[in-house]
Amino acid sequence: MDRLLDGYQRFRAGGWTDHRERLQALADEGQKPLAMIVACSDSRADPAMVFDTAPGELFVVRNVANLVPPYTPDGGLRGTSAALEFGIRVLEVPDLIVMGHQRCGGVHSLVHGFPERAQDFVEPWMRLAQPAVDAARAAGTPEDLIDDVCEHETVKLSLKNLRTFPWIAQREADGRLRLHGFRFGIADGVLERLEADGTFAAV
């Protein structure tokens, strides 16, 4: 905790000064982010770092393995869906991104088995991505590449689920919203983008 508080002191001495006018304007005028990103909670894959953005430029929801559940307005406690509703219907962001990453612990657990301490919530949550694993295995993916392929397939699955939200599908259809898929390589810093043909290519 001391290290975090030391970081806050550095922020107050430098970062706050650098961003003071922008933050005060955001406080007064509200936010109008450039994009919304669904990203993983993993501490190594920070969207603001990857895209080198300033405060107010990204509306971010992070969860285990950057998953989007299908549209299910059943009154349940659905944090990711609530964030999507706010980002898309209230803030009206023009771009919606799903960003996966290399060496995702959630994907690894889904493929290879969940640790005993991650079965109350992580396991049922990750079962949302079972179709991504099934697709990778059906394609005959070698075992040494299965995690890598599943990380890419999970991004595709989340994009597919995004399109089950009627107010996302409508906005995409009429051009008000663009959907994108990315996967960030932690080890090499390479960002891959999902192309129209279903493959990923380095940006």
Side-chain angles (χ1 to χ4, degrees):
M1 193 64 201
D2 288 344
R3 184 170 178 178
L4 296 180
L5 293 177
D6 288 344
Y8 167 69
Q9 295 300 332
R10 291 192 300 274
F11 165 72
R12 284 295 293 175
W16 166 249
T17 302
D18 295 342
H19 294 292
R20 184 170 185 169
E21 288 187 12
R22 180 178 184 84
L23 290 169
Q24 288 179 332
L26 287 167
D28 293 340
E29 301 165 13
Q31 60 176 320
K32 192 166 180 59
L34 301 173
M36 178 173 181
I37 299 184
V38 180
C40 185
S41 301
D42 194 298
S43 61
R44 302 166 294 176
D46 179 8
M49 177 189 73
V50 172
F51 293 103
D52 191 25
T53 54
E57 291 184 337
L58 293 180
F59 186 72
V60 181
V61 57
R62 299 179 74 171
N63 61 45
V64 175
N66 44 268
L67 296 182
V68 175
Y71 178 70
T72 313
D74 58 2
L77 302 177
R78 300 186 179 277
T80 297
S81 299
L84 286 165
E85 184 174 53
F86 192 80
I88 303 305
R89 303 185 79 182
V90 179
L91 298 179
E92 298 184 324
V93 297
D95 290 281
L96 177 53
I97 297 164
V98 176
M99 190 183 88
H101 69 92
Q102 179 187 45
R103 297 179 186 171
C104 178
V107 169
H108 181 82
S109 294
L110 180 60
V111 173
H112 301 285
F114 293 90
E116 186 177 346
R117 291 174 293 178
Q119 294 181 359
D120 288 353
F121 298 100
V122 174
E123 181 173 1
W125 172 254
M126 284 306 305
R127 291 296 174 199
L128 286 169
Q130 188 62 50
V133 178
D134 295 343
R137 294 210 183 278
T141 305
E143 198 60 28
D144 61 332
L145 297 177
I146 192 72
D147 284 20
D148 184 78
V149 171
C150 287
E151 288 159 6
H152 291 91
E153 289 296 327
T154 298
V155 171
K156 295 179 186 179
L157 177 65
S158 285
L159 288 167
K160 179 181 178 182
N161 286 344
L162 282 172
R163 293 182 170 106
T164 67
F165 289 72
W167 27 267
I168 289 177
Q170 182 59 54
R171 283 168 170 78
E172 184 182 30
D174 63 26
R176 286 179 290 164
L177 179 66
R178 296 175 295 269
L179 270 59
H180 314 271
F182 290 96
R183 189 257 198 176
F184 174 64
I186 294 171
D188 57 17
V190 173
L191 185 68
E192 298 172 314
R193 184 174 192 163
L194 178 62
E195 304 293 338
D197 64 0
T199 63
F200 283 79
V203 173

